[in-house]
Structures are given as structure tokens and as C-alpha cells.
């Protein structure tokens, strides 16, 4: 295939322990003991940067027994050891305060010279709530109400400093023009913040705003606020429906389709030939803990899947009502169960498919087949790029960078060098203007007139 659209793909790499296959940590080539090692993540970041990836992304939640480093701590360290790759941190709007989040992201953006991004999530589970002294995890609708207000406050805090507020006038002994730093005096339904922020406006204006989720509330939040959306569709048709739906919502917020990049998750297993790739897939599936997989997948059903034969059809008629899952990513249930229904999977196939990309589309094939897959989704408006979920680190990412990226470059589908130094520049996103500057200019003018009149 050859590119006909002029569009170029964007790629993010999703950091996750030993890799995204459920059995990755058991593979001889993995090093699960390195999950808390900075050097481990530095190597992943450098491979991604060598492959000219736009960004890397770390998920987060506030409960459970994972071995996951806190995002700001990790990404601040990576900022000092990389030059161009973007740094996306997941932060919840339900279990944080806007002032803290605005300040931390402004700091990360300054440290990285304009490479920070915020993956906006609304919270994970009741266990999160209990770790913050809350009696209940808010329902989806309330979480999105909180999220909308939270994002608006952080934007206003980033805008509380005008661009030229720092003057460093050594003669006059003045470093900050205080007339250009402003209180926001925000009072909403869930938060009240006086401001201003105690750090200047980020180099990118705002860190790039990312949103992950495919529910109705998630789509609307993305259309209103996001500049990148991570999503999970298992077929081109479903991806096209999502792509068209979300982009059609932008106009009511005064936005254009190019202002939001849609990047579905893709878990590729790639080799020189399809047969070799299938062998790798079979090797990893052979390491799966079937009992644990059945327990996890049974949470989507009214029945215990372990009571069925592995070669029996997935009992999709016994699936819990979509949206009824109260913890985790609520939209993921629908994606996973619909895939089983569409492909008429056996439980054995269901386990294998779910293990590869935990709800995202997985693809196993040759280098050329993988490039064809990516090109089709880009060309036919199923995606603007992909959130890459390597089945194992470092090998899965290295194969993609060493073999798939050059093939995409040959087709004119991917950059041959970074377009700029900031994440916004590389994603083709404009730098947001300070929305309050004109208001403050008028206010200052009126104050000057009043002073003159006196």
C-alpha cells in the first residue's frame, strides 16, 4: 500500500511494567524486578526518542498492589535524560486539587522545556475513594462534572501569569511585573481557588491535554477540552464511528477537527514474517495463568467463566449490563465483550485476545502487514496515530522502532525528524493564547483612566 492522504501518523508508547501482554513478566527476556528502576524507563524513553515517537505515557491510580512509580517523579527524572520525546502523566480530577495539579504540570513543562502533557482521568474505583478518606466513589456523571470544573480552573491558573510578567530588571531591582500576575478568584460547585499560581505560565501555554475514555461523558469531555484522546476500538469500523462522532462534537465548542488527535491503543507483535510473529504470540500465550485470566474476565459477566469449558463459546448473553462495572475503566467492558460477540470467540480465544492488549486492538504479523494495518486506519479515518502497547520491553518496542518505523517513513506516513522542540510542535497543535490577557488589558486601561481622572 502507499499513502494517499498526506496525513502522518503520531505514536505514543504506553509504559507498563515488563510489557502489555499479561504474561510478559514471566518471559525469559523480561526483567520484572526492574519495574521500579529509573534506568529501565530511561532505556524505554531513549528507544522511543530514537524512533521519533511523539511521547511516552504512564498510567496511574491510587489503590491496588501494582509496582507503579508516581508519574511526576518519574517523568521529571526522564525529562532531564531525554530531549524531544513528550512526557504524559495521568492525574485524576477526583482525588486531587486543581492548584496542586496546575503547579506540578507547569513545573514539569518548564523542566522539560515544553514536553509535558496531562492525561485527564476522573478516578478509578471505590478503593481509591477509601484511600482518600471518602465514603463513596462518585458516579460517572458527577465525576465528569468535577472534571470539567477542575480542568477549567487549571487553565485559568496557567493563564494567571501574562507572558511578559518576568522582567528581571537589575537596575530597578524588579524581577516580576506584579501588574501582570492576576488572581483568578474562581468559585465553582466543587472548588474555590483564589490564585494566582506561584509559577509562571508553562512554555507550551498549557501542557498538552490528553483524555482517555470512550464513554459518552468521556467523548464530551474530550470534545470540550482534550487535544489528544487515547481510546480502545478493536475494529476499523468501530474506530471510524468513534473518530467521526468525537470530531463532529468539536464545532459546538468552537474547535476544528485538526485540534484533536485520536490515538487508539495498538498492541503489535511483529516479526519479519507472519509465521515468526505467530510463534512469538503462541509462546507468550503459553505462559498465561489461565485461572487468573478467567477470574479477571469473569468480572464482566453474571457467571463464573471457570465453570465453562475453555473451548465453549463465550457466554455473551450473560454479560453484565454495559456501564454497570463500578471500578476500572467502565468503557473497556463494552469493547472487550463486543469483540467476543463479534468474532464468536471461544473462552480460550477470549483469554488470549484479552491478554495481548487488555481491551485494545492487538495485531500479529510481519513488518509489512503491520505497516499496512497502520496505514489503513490512518488513511480511512480510524485514527490520527496510535498509542503503542509493546507486548514486552525492550524487545517489542525495539522491533517496532527498528523495522516498522522505517517502513512507514518509506511510505511517507511518518516523520524522518522531529518538527520542533515542544510536544505541541511535534503533534501539530497550536500554542493556546492567554485567554484572559485581553480582559486584563482593558481592566488595566480603565484603572489608568481612573488614576488620571483623580
Amino acid at each position: 500500500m502507499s499513502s494517499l492522504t498526506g496525513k502522518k501518523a503520531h505514536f505514543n508508547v504506553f509504559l507498563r511494567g515488563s510489557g502489555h501482554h499479561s504474561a510478559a513478566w514471566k518471559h525469559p527476556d523480561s526483567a520484572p524486578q526492574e519495574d521500579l528502576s529509573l534506568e529501565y524507563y530511561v532505556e524505554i524513553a531513549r528507544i522511543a526518542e530514537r524512533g521519533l515517537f511523539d511521547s511516552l505515557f504512564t498510567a496511574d491510580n491510587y489503590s491496588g498492589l501494582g509496582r507503579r512509580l508516581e508519574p511526576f517523579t518519574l517523568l521529571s527524572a526522564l525529562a532531564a535524560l531525554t530531549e524531544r520525546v513528550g512526557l504524559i502523566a495521568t492525574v485524576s480530577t477526583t482525588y486531587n486539587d486543581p492548584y496542586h495539579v496546575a503547579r506540578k504540570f507547569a513545573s514539569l513543562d518548564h523542566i522539560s522545556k515544553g514536553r509535558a502533557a496531562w492525561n485527564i482521568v476522573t478516578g478509578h474505583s471505590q478503593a481509591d475513594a477509601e484511600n482518600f478518606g471518602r465514603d463513596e466513589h462518585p458516579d460517572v456523571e458527577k465525576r465528569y462534572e468535577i472534571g470539567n470544573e477542575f480542568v477549567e480552573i487549571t487553565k485559568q491558573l496557567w493563564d494567571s501569569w501574562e507572558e511578559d510578567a518576568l522582567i528581571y530588571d537589575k537596575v530597578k531591582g524588579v524581577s516580576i511585573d506584579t501588574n501582570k500576575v492576576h488572581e483568578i478568584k474562581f468559585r465553582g460547585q466543587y472548588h474555590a481557588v483564589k490564585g494566582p499560581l506561584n509559577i509562571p505560565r508553562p512554555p507550551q501555554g498549557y501542557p498538552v491535554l490528553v483524555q482517555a475514555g470512550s464513554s459518552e461523558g468521556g467523548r464530551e469531555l474530550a470534545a470540550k477540552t482534550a487535544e489528544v484522546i487515547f481510546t480502545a476500538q478493536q475494529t476499523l469500523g468501530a474506530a471510524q464511528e468513534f473518530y467521526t462522532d468525537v470530531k463532529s462534537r468539536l464545532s459546538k465548542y468552537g474547535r476544528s477537527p485538526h485540534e484533536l488527535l485520536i490515538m487508539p491503543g495498538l498492541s503489535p507483535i511483529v516479526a519479519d514474517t507472519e509465521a515468526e510473529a505467530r510463534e512469538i504470540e503462541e509462546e507468550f500465550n503459553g505462559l498465561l495463568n489461565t485461572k487468573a485470566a478467567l477470574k479477571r474476565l469473569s468480572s464482566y459477566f453474571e457467571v463464573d467463566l471457570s465453570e465453562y469449558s475453555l473451548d465453549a463459546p463465550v457466554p455473551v448473553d450473560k454479560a453484565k449490563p454495559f456501564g454497570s462495572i463500578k471500578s476500572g475503566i467502565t468503557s473497556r467492558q463494552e469493547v472487550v465483550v463486543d469483540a467476543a460477540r463479534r468474532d464468536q470467540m471461544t473462552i480460550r480465544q477470549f483469554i488470549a485476545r484479552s491478554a495481548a492488549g487488555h481491551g485494545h486492538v492487538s495485531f500479529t504479523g510481519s513488518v509489512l502487514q503491520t505497516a499496512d494495518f497502520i496505514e489503513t486506519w490512518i488513511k480511512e479515518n480510524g485514527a490520527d496515530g496510535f498509542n503503542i502497547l509493546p507486548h514486552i520491553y525492550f524487545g517489542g518496542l525495539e522491533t517496532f522502532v527498528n523495522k516498522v518505523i522505517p517502513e512507514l517513513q518509506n511510505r511517507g506516513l511518518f516523520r524522518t525528524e522531529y518538527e520542533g522542540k515542544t510536544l505541541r510542535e511535534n503533534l501539530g497543535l497550536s500554542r493556546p493564547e492567554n485567554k484572559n490577557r485581553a480582559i486584563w488589558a482593558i481592566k488595566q486601561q480603565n484603572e489608568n483612566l481612573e488614576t488620571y481622572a483623580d
Side-chain angles (χ1 to χ4, degrees):
M1 299 176 69
S2 60
S3 177
L4 301 174
T5 64
K7 289 173 63 177
K8 284 186 168 57
H10 294 281
F11 291 117
N12 170 80
V13 61
F14 186 166
L15 302 180
R16 187 177 192 259
S18 298
H20 288 268
H21 194 284
S22 295
W25 73 276
K26 296 170 68 177
H27 193 274
D29 292 342
S30 73
Q33 67 276 11
E34 296 297 312
D35 283 2
L36 302 178
S37 163
L38 175 60
E39 290 76 14
Y40 177 75
Y41 294 103
V42 169
E43 181 62 20
I44 294 173
R46 286 175 172 165
I47 295 170
E49 195 164 65
R50 176 165 56 82
L52 304 178
F53 270 53
D54 293 270
S55 53
L56 54 85
F57 154 61
T58 177
D60 196 31
N61 56 44
Y62 306 118
S63 59
L65 299 177
R67 300 177 304 279
R68 184 175 288 163
L69 293 170
E70 190 281 318
F72 284 109
T73 307
L74 173 60
L75 297 183
S76 295
L78 293 181
L81 299 169
T82 55
E83 295 181 357
R84 297 295 182 88
V85 70
L87 307 164
I88 306 178
T90 298
V91 177
S92 166
T93 55
T94 305
Y95 301 109
N96 283 286
D97 287 315
Y99 192 93
H100 276 142
V101 172
R103 185 185 184 206
K104 289 177 180 178
F105 271 111
S107 298
L108 181 60
D109 209 45
H110 280 288
I111 289 170
S112 65
K113 296 182 171 61
R115 294 185 284 137
W118 173 17
N119 179 41
I120 304 162
V121 299
T122 62
H124 190 262
S125 67
Q126 177 63 26
D128 287 359
E130 292 167 357
N131 282 338
F132 286 84
R134 313 277 183 90
D135 293 330
E136 293 184 354
H137 184 53
D139 62 31
V140 172
E141 183 176 350
K142 184 175 181 180
R143 293 204 309 271
Y144 279 115
E145 288 177 358
I146 295 170
N148 270 291
E149 182 177 289
F150 195 111
V151 174
E152 178 58 30
I153 297 169
T154 56
K155 286 181 176 180
Q156 289 195 27
L157 285 168
W158 290 327
D159 283 344
S160 64
W161 285 65
E162 296 186 43
E163 307 289 354
D164 52 354
L166 291 173
I167 53 178
Y168 299 118
D169 189 327
K170 294 182 179 180
V171 175
K172 294 182 178 179
V174 177
S175 61
I176 300 172
D177 183 345
T178 56
N179 291 321
K180 295 185 176 182
V181 183
H182 309 272
E183 296 176 352
I184 65 170
K185 298 179 181 177
F186 187 101
R187 184 168 293 277
Q189 183 177 357
Y190 301 101
H191 298 283
V193 181
K194 181 181 179 182
L197 199 60
N198 65 348
I199 183 173
R201 196 168 191 250
Q204 295 185 101
Y206 307 154
V208 174
L209 300 178
V210 183
Q211 198 267 335
S214 301
S215 66
E216 175 61 27
R219 295 183 188 211
E220 200 63 24
L221 180 61
K224 182 178 180 181
T225 66
E227 295 166 295
V228 175
I229 182 166
F230 292 151
T231 183
Q233 281 81 42
Q234 296 236 352
T235 67
L236 176 58
Q240 289 170 321
E241 182 279 325
F242 181 85
Y243 189 99
T244 300
D245 176 65
V246 175
K247 297 228 175 186
S248 70
R249 301 177 188 227
L250 295 170
S251 59
K252 67 175 145 181
Y253 298 111
R255 304 180 66 197
S256 301
H258 69 272
E259 295 180 72
L260 174 63
L261 302 177
I262 296 177
M263 300 174 67
L266 170 62
S267 184
I269 296 179
V270 187
D272 290 333
T273 68
E274 181 180 357
E276 291 173 311
R278 294 291 174 195
E279 288 179 5
I280 295 171
E281 180 182 47
E282 290 176 9
E283 178 187 12
F284 275 79
N285 288 344
L287 296 172
L288 285 171
N289 182 330
T290 301
K291 183 177 179 180
L294 287 170
K295 181 179 180 180
R296 176 174 55 83
L297 291 171
S298 291
S299 66
Y300 295 150
F301 296 84
E302 303 286 359
V303 294
D304 184 351
L305 295 182
S306 67
E307 297 177 358
Y308 291 72
S309 165
L310 290 177
D311 295 314
V314 176
V316 292
D317 58 322
K318 304 293 185 182
K320 293 179 180 178
F322 292 152
S324 65
I325 306 299
K326 297 303 181 184
S327 64
I329 303 173
T330 56
S331 59
R332 192 61 47 78
Q333 174 209 13
E334 183 173 357
V335 172
V336 171
V337 175
D338 273 351
R341 178 182 291 110
R342 180 189 65 246
D343 294 344
Q344 298 181 328
M345 295 180 194
T346 66
I347 292 177
R348 189 188 305 276
Q349 292 169 328
F350 190 44
I351 292 171
R353 182 77 66 86
S354 301
H358 44 93
H360 299 86
V361 66
S362 57
F363 185 86
T364 300
S366 69
V367 173
L368 294 180
Q369 289 171 328
T370 305
D372 286 347
F373 176 91
I374 290 170
E375 180 168 3
T376 297
W377 281 51
I378 296 293
K379 184 175 70 174
E380 299 188 15
N381 290 332
D384 296 309
F386 289 92
N387 183 20
I388 299 297
L389 290 68
H391 64 289
I392 189 171
Y393 288 113
F394 306 110
L397 181 59
E398 286 184 313
T399 299
F400 192 91
V401 165
N402 294 341
K403 297 188 176 184
V404 179
I405 290 295
E407 177 60 28
L408 294 173
Q409 290 170 329
N410 289 338
R411 301 182 188 202
L413 274 167
F414 191 64
R415 64 170 64 95
T416 55
E417 61 182 359
Y418 282 111
E419 292 84 357
K421 294 183 178 180
T422 70
L423 179 55
R424 287 188 172 277
E425 290 169 337
N426 293 326
L427 290 172
L429 298 171
S430 61
R431 185 179 187 275
E433 295 184 2
N434 192 321
K435 294 180 179 179
N436 294 320
R437 182 164 187 166
I439 298 173
W440 290 327
I442 294 171
K443 180 181 178 181
Q444 187 65 43
Q445 184 179 28
N446 290 338
E447 289 176 352
N448 290 341
L449 289 173
E450 289 173 3
T451 301
Y452 180 76
D454 292 342

